[in-house]
């Protein structure tokens, strides 16, 4: 008997017994969320895509199926400049928020030993979010203005002789506001990932003679990649869709895709705005798809 079992090899894993209605029950449990996503996510996107093919005059829009909006969009050099500016803002903001967010998360996760202090410092990081985004953004204007606190301080210290004009209503002020608004979206996922790192791995690295920099590069950063990727997706998508910040902090002297859509809506050119929104959505999805090729973030979700 034992020889026969040995010849048969390892036993095949037991199959789960079929329970009638199990799949039906699963679909029923998922149906409320499916209906919500279909009504509030898929349906608006489908409507935007449909409207992007409609036509428009100075006074009305009419249902049609034409590619005029996309032809005008891709044939205009303004479109490429605006998309280039949007990508520039997203890239610079991502780099700065990553540097700041990683540093803050690293300090909270590995240098603060007390859980109570960690929670307290983390709440301090969220204090700016207790007010409106517009309030936090506008608060930079009197600070960065020609007669603002920054210029007056630099003049009083003798660092400059006259006020700096580029502090406000420039790319600098736009990116500064973006970093201020969205850094926490980078801190949270990175901090969450760092807190899951087994501290024994760091001890093992030190026991094997690794320096602090080597431990950071070869242990912490690779294990933190999912959090970095989640934060990157948050920051990039938020920056590429933002238009209020660019409008206020640049004094309407700069533009991004969000402002392009806002201007079309203000002129009642809804088909043109919808076409631009579709192109922006596709661009963001392509960027996210590229990012997801590098890191599997399912274990973090």
């Amino acid at each position: 008997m034992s020889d026969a079992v040995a010849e048969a090899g390892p036993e095949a894993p037991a199959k789960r017994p079929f329970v009638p209605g199990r799949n039906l029950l699963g679909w029923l449990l998922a149906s409320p969320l499916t209906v919500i996503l279909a009504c509030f996510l898929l349906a608006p996107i489908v409507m935007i895509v449909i409207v992007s093919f409609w036509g428009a005059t100075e006074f009305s829009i009419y249902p049609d199926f034409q590619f005029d909006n996309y032809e005008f969009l891709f044939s205009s050099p303004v479109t490429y400049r605006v998309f280039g500016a949007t990508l520039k803002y997203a890239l610079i903001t991502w780099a700065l928020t990553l540097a700041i967010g990683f540093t803050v998360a690293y300090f909270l996760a590995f240098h603060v030993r007390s859980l109570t202090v960690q929670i307290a410092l983390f709440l301090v990081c969220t204090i700016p979010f207790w007010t409106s985004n517009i309030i936090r953004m506008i608060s930079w204007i009197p600070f960065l203005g020609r007669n603002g606190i920054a210029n007056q301080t630099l003049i009083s210290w003798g660092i400059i002789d006259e006020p700096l004009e580029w502090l406000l209503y420039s790319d600098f002020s736009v990116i500064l506001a973006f970093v201020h608004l969205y850094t926490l979206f980078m801190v949270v996922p990175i901090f969450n990932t760092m807190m899951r790192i087994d501290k024994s791995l760091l001890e093992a690295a030190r026991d094997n003679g690794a320096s602090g920099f080597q431990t950071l590069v070869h242990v912490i950063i690779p294990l933190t990649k999912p959090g970095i990727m989640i934060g990157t997706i948050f920051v990039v998508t938020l920056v590429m869709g933002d238009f209020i910040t660019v409008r206020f902090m640049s004094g309407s002297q700069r533009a991004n895709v969000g402002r392009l859509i806002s201007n079309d809506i203000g002129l009642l050119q809804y088909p043109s705005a919808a076409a631009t929104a579709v192109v922006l959505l596709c661009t963001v999805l392509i960027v996210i798809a590229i990012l997801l090729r590098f890191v599997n973030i399912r274990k973090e979700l």
Side-chain angles (χ1 to χ4, degrees):
M1 183 67 178
S2 60
D3 295 338
V5 173
E7 292 177 359
E11 295 182 0
K15 295 182 179 180
R16 291 185 61 182
F18 176 75
V19 179
R22 173 182 292 165
N23 293 335
L24 178 60
L25 179 61
W27 281 107
L28 290 176
L29 292 175
S31 59
L33 180 59
T34 303
V35 172
I36 292 174
L37 291 177
C39 293
F40 297 101
L41 179 63
L42 295 180
I45 293 176
V46 171
M47 181 58 67
I48 291 173
V49 174
I50 293 174
V51 173
S52 69
F53 293 100
W54 287 9
T57 65
E58 294 181 358
F59 308 102
S60 64
I61 62 175
Y62 53 91
D64 198 357
F65 186 77
Q66 57 185 13
F67 294 92
D68 293 354
N69 298 315
Y70 291 98
E71 290 178 2
F72 175 78
L73 189 64
F74 287 109
S75 63
S76 174
V78 176
T79 301
Y80 298 97
R81 289 200 300 268
V82 170
F83 269 87
T86 303
L87 293 174
K88 177 186 69 174
Y89 289 145
L91 182 61
I92 297 176
T93 303
W94 167 77
L96 294 176
T97 54
L98 177 59
I100 299 172
F102 188 91
T103 303
V104 172
Y106 181 85
F107 174 78
L108 292 177
F110 298 113
H111 288 276
V112 179
R113 302 299 181 183
S114 172
L115 180 61
T116 303
V117 177
Q118 280 183 343
I119 295 175
L121 292 177
F122 190 80
L123 290 176
V124 169
C125 294
T126 65
I127 288 178
F129 281 77
W130 297 358
T131 60
S132 168
N133 279 7
I134 296 178
I135 298 297
R136 287 183 287 146
M137 177 177 47
I138 293 178
S139 65
W140 283 105
I141 295 178
F143 182 83
L144 299 174
R146 180 178 177 83
N147 297 316
I149 298 174
N151 273 317
Q152 294 301 319
T153 302
L154 293 175
I155 292 175
S156 64
W157 287 352
I159 299 177
I160 58 176
D161 297 326
E162 57 183 16
L164 300 175
E165 301 289 346
W166 53 265
L167 288 181
L168 187 61
Y169 302 143
S170 61
D171 287 339
F172 171 80
S173 59
V174 172
I175 294 172
L176 179 63
F178 276 144
V179 172
H180 178 208
L181 293 175
Y182 300 132
T183 296
L184 189 63
F185 290 95
M186 188 69 78
V187 173
V188 173
I190 295 177
F191 175 72
N192 182 53
T193 306
M194 285 183 175
M195 291 299 293
R196 299 183 183 185
I197 296 178
D198 190 353
K199 300 301 187 292
S200 62
L201 296 176
L202 307 182
E203 296 177 0
R206 286 193 294 267
D207 292 341
N208 283 277
S211 63
F213 180 76
Q214 291 174 325
T215 302
L216 175 67
V217 173
H218 298 290
V219 179
I220 297 177
I221 292 180
L223 294 176
T224 313
K225 282 183 178 179
I228 294 175
M229 203 57 59
I230 294 174
T232 299
I233 292 173
F234 281 149
V235 171
V236 170
T237 54
L238 288 171
V239 171
M240 293 187 72
D242 192 305
F243 67 95
I244 292 293
T245 303
V246 177
R247 177 182 176 184
F248 284 143
M249 298 307 296
S250 70
S252 297
Q253 300 178 31
R254 303 290 189 276
N256 65 344
V257 181
R259 281 212 64 198
L260 198 64
I261 297 172
S262 176
N263 292 340
D264 285 339
I265 293 176
L267 297 173
L268 303 181
Q269 297 296 314
Y270 298 116
S272 178
T276 308
V278 170
V279 175
L280 176 61
L281 177 62
C282 293
T283 304
V284 172
L285 291 178
I286 291 172
V287 171
I288 293 175
I290 294 173
L291 294 175
L292 294 180
R293 296 288 295 177
F294 294 98
V295 176
N296 181 15
I297 63 173
R298 286 186 177 181
K299 58 184 178 181
E300 292 294 318
L301 299 176

